[in-house]
Amino acid sequence: MKTLILSLLALLVVSQGCDKQKSAPGGTTAVTIDRDRLLAQLRSDHDLYAKAWNEKDFTAISSMWAHDPDITMWDATVRERIQGWDGGNGVEAWYRRAFDSMNDIDFHIRDLMIKVTENGDCAIFTLYVENTFTDRQGNRKTVNPRVTVVKELRKGEWKIIHGDASYGVSEMVK
């Protein structure tokens, strides 16, 4: 009787643990994700990114990016790929140059769409940015790039591993 009760208790514990995972095709284990909660978290994180731009908060921006040598960024204003966190052509240097060239930043995100991979460890963001700022010469400017961001879940934290800003041909030919 004691063995039966322990067996049933063990079965109950195992079944509760497996409730969060389902068997996927091929015998692998798929993770069940609360997509609504995850999307809300990712939207909130991206709002913090916009806030960091407005405040020129380099520390916050730095914490949002992976610091790998193979992260990448495309800037619509230059041809060369920005690669790695460190170095003169790295993501860190790009943000420092951008922040140093601007005053009075008013950075907004609109039409944010987020696609999360099925296993929930990668997310692709597409959005429009409206960034109005005063440059160091006192000129007021607005840029409106289309932006794509790729984030990867690493040890419970979402890190940016790629960013891309682009403009349509009609915007460039004006």
Side-chain angles (χ1 to χ4, degrees), residues 1-11:
M1 182 68 160
K2 188 176 182 181
T3 304
L4 179 61
I5 292 173
L6 287 175
S7 297
L8 288 174
L9 185 58
L11 183 60

Side-chain angles (χ1 to χ4, degrees), residues 27 42 66 95 139-140 153:
L42 291 168
Y95 276 100
N139 302 309
R140 195 84 175 139
L153 185 61

Side-chain angles (χ1 to χ4, degrees), residues 60-122:
I61 294 286
S62 176
S63 72
M64 295 175 192
W65 274 87
H67 289 207
D68 303 341
D70 61 350
I71 60 172
T72 54
M73 184 189 317
W74 292 113
D75 178 353
T77 64
V78 297
R79 176 77 178 142
E80 296 79 27
R81 174 179 39 232
I82 299 153
Q83 184 171 339
W85 179 255
D86 299 316
N89 190 39
V91 173
E92 175 184 19
W94 184 90
Y95 276 100
R96 289 194 185 279
R97 283 189 302 271
F99 287 167
D100 287 347
S101 71
M102 298 177 192
N103 294 316
D104 305 319
I105 298 171
D106 186 15
F107 185 101
H108 294 281
I109 293 171
R110 66 178 174 82
D111 198 19
L112 174 64
M113 292 178 56
I114 305 172
K115 168 69 176 161
V116 178
T117 57
E118 194 169 314
N119 65 355
D121 66 356
C122 187

Side-chain angles (χ1 to χ4, degrees), residues 21-80:
Q21 298 182 356
K22 295 186 175 147
S23 181
T28 61
T29 303
V31 178
T32 301
I33 299 165
D34 182 344
R35 289 200 177 274
D36 291 336
R37 192 172 127 246
L38 178 57
L39 289 172
Q41 175 199 347
L42 291 168
R43 284 182 186 285
S44 175
D45 289 353
H46 226 66
D47 288 343
L48 292 174
Y49 178 85
K51 182 178 186 244
W53 257 99
N54 284 317
E55 296 174 2
K56 293 177 30 170
D57 185 349
F58 180 77
T59 301
I61 294 286
S62 176
S63 72
M64 295 175 192
W65 274 87
H67 289 207
D68 303 341
D70 61 350
I71 60 172
T72 54
M73 184 189 317
W74 292 113
D75 178 353
T77 64
V78 297
R79 176 77 178 142
E80 296 79 27

Side-chain angles (χ1 to χ4, degrees), residues 144-159:
N144 298 79
R146 303 173 299 194
V147 176
T148 302
V149 174
V150 180
K151 291 186 179 183
E152 182 178 50
L153 185 61
R154 296 181 174 189
K155 298 179 183 173
E157 294 184 352
W158 287 94
K159 298 294 182 179

